[in-house]
Structure formats: C-alpha cells, structure tokens
C-alpha cells in the first residue's frame, strides 16, 4: 500500500498534521490516532478492512524533497482509471531505503524478491538468517540482482550512491513506531561515489543526478531504464 499512501498524502497532509483521528464505522476508510505522530489507517478493500500506514512529505519517513519528487513523478497505473503508482525507479530505491534504514535486518524486511523482480535477469533467493553480516544468503550465480544486492556492502553502496546523487540524507521518522537503524556514512559530506571523478560529481540538475546513478548501476550491466514494473 505504499503507492496508496503516497498518492493519498496530497489531499490528506493537513489531516495528518492534526493531533488525533477518531474512527467512524460508516466511513470507507478509518484513521485511528495513537498519539505522538502515529496514525494507523484502515481502508475497505473487497469487503474487508486492510491496514496501512499513511506517510506524507515532511514526516521524516523519507527525505522530504525525495517524498515530494516521488509524488510529482508518479505515473498512472495501466488499466486502472484514476489509479497512481510510483515510477519504477522511485519504487525500487524507496523499497531499498525502507529495507536498510527502517528495518534492523534486510532479509527480515521481506523486500528482496520484490526488488529483484524489478531488475532484469534471474531472481535469487535470500535466507532469513541474513543479518547485515550476510549469513544465510543463497544467491544464484550472476544476474543484476546478485551483483547489486548480493551482499550487505553492495546494498549500502547502491543506496549511498542514489542518495548522494540527489543530495538526500536519511531522516528520522516522526512516527515513534517507525524504525531508524542506519544513518549511512559520509552522507552529509556527499562523498564521491566509487570510480566517479570530480568533474562528473561537480555537475548539477536532474539529468546529472540520473547520470550519476546510472554510473553506479553500470557494474551490474544495467541502466536506470532497466528498472521496471515487470509484468505491468
């Protein structure tokens, strides 16, 4: 429900800033305030209540400028009138950020298969014994997923590159129930990504940002355009 949360945030941001919400059984969606910034939400889907967390730019769950850009650059869902989703690039890196920054254990975050499915090539499996130390991983040989996400350091390097290219740094969520387990090293200093020279790093603008991220994807033999909603 990440897409839903971001799309709804455009109209619901003023509500989210209120102190509390009261549940109304007659409403198609209900929000129950827990105080301290935490809001649990329910929406009726197929006749049953489905819970999700509603996020908005400025709540610290994602860097504010990135959250704004994700909403700005959203795309229509094919075949669903009025439906929106994140573009594939934002979906991929937002899930990677979520797994590394909000969760204490990448494997337990449960996003590996989704991330790999957005990349070309085979989808390796990942054992849940993996902590950030890498135990329990069972990667198939080769493939963009294995090269980009096959070790804790590879995952961190890729996320560091993406955040640095855009000038983003991990932020502390205002929701006290949301985790914040990793403040990536070198973020504030905007460390030059590995194998990127100073001239490339000195450019600015969104085209330049994309070039930097593409450079960091290049060792896996893919480009930003290869990240896609497979089967959609």
């Amino acid at each position: 429900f990440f897409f839903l949360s971001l799309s709804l945030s455009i109209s619901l941001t003023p509500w989210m800033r209120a102190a509390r919400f009261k549940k109304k059984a007659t409403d198609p969606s209900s929000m129950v305030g827990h105080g301290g910034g935490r809001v649990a939400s329910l929406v009726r889907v197929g006749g049953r209540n489905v819970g999700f967390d509603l996020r908005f730019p400025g709540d610290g769950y994602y860097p504010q400028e990135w959250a704004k850009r994700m909403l700005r650059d959203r795309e229509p869902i094919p075949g669903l009138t009025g439906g929106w989703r994140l573009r594939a690039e934002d979906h991929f890196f937002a899930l990677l950020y979520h797994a590394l920054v909000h969760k204490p254990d990448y494997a337990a975050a449960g996003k590996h298969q989704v991330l790999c499915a957005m990349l070309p090539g085979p989808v390796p499996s990942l054992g849940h014994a993996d902590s950030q130390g890498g135990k329990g991983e069972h990667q198939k040989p080769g493939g963009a997923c294995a090269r980009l996400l096959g070790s804790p350091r590879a995952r961190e390097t890729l996320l560091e590159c993406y955040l640095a290219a855009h000038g983003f740094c991990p932020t502390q969520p205002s929701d006290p129930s949301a985790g914040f387990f990793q403040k990536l090293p070198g973020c504030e200093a905007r460390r030059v990504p590995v194998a990127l020279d100073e001239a490339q790093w000195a450019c600015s603008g969104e085209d330049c940002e994309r070039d930097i991220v593409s450079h960091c994807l290049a060792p896996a033999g893919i480009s930003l355009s290869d990240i896609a909603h497979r089967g959609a």
Side-chain angles (χ1 to χ4, degrees), residues 20-27 29-33 40 42 49:
R20 292 180 180 274
F21 296 94
K22 292 184 178 179
K23 181 177 179 181
K24 295 181 179 180
T26 56
D27 289 351
S29 64
S30 302
M31 290 183 233
V32 186
L42 298 174
N49 286 331

Side-chain angles (χ1 to χ4, degrees), residues 143-221:
C145 185
R147 292 191 289 273
L148 285 175
L149 307 175
S151 71
R153 186 57 197 146
R155 297 188 286 263
E156 291 167 7
T157 297
L158 180 61
L159 182 60
E160 284 177 27
C161 177
Y162 185 82
L163 294 176
H166 295 82
F168 303 147
C169 280
T171 50
Q172 175 80 51
S174 58
D175 181 346
S177 69
F180 186 63
F181 294 94
Q182 185 166 181
K183 189 171 180 64
L184 298 172
C187 182
E188 292 86 349
R190 280 178 57 84
R191 179 175 58 196
V192 178
V194 176
L196 191 69
D197 64 39
E198 293 288 347
Q200 290 173 299
W201 187 238
C203 65
S204 61
E206 291 192 24
D207 287 342
C208 177
E209 292 166 359
R210 294 181 66 83
D211 287 345
I212 293 171
V213 177
S214 294
H215 177 88
C216 296
L217 293 169

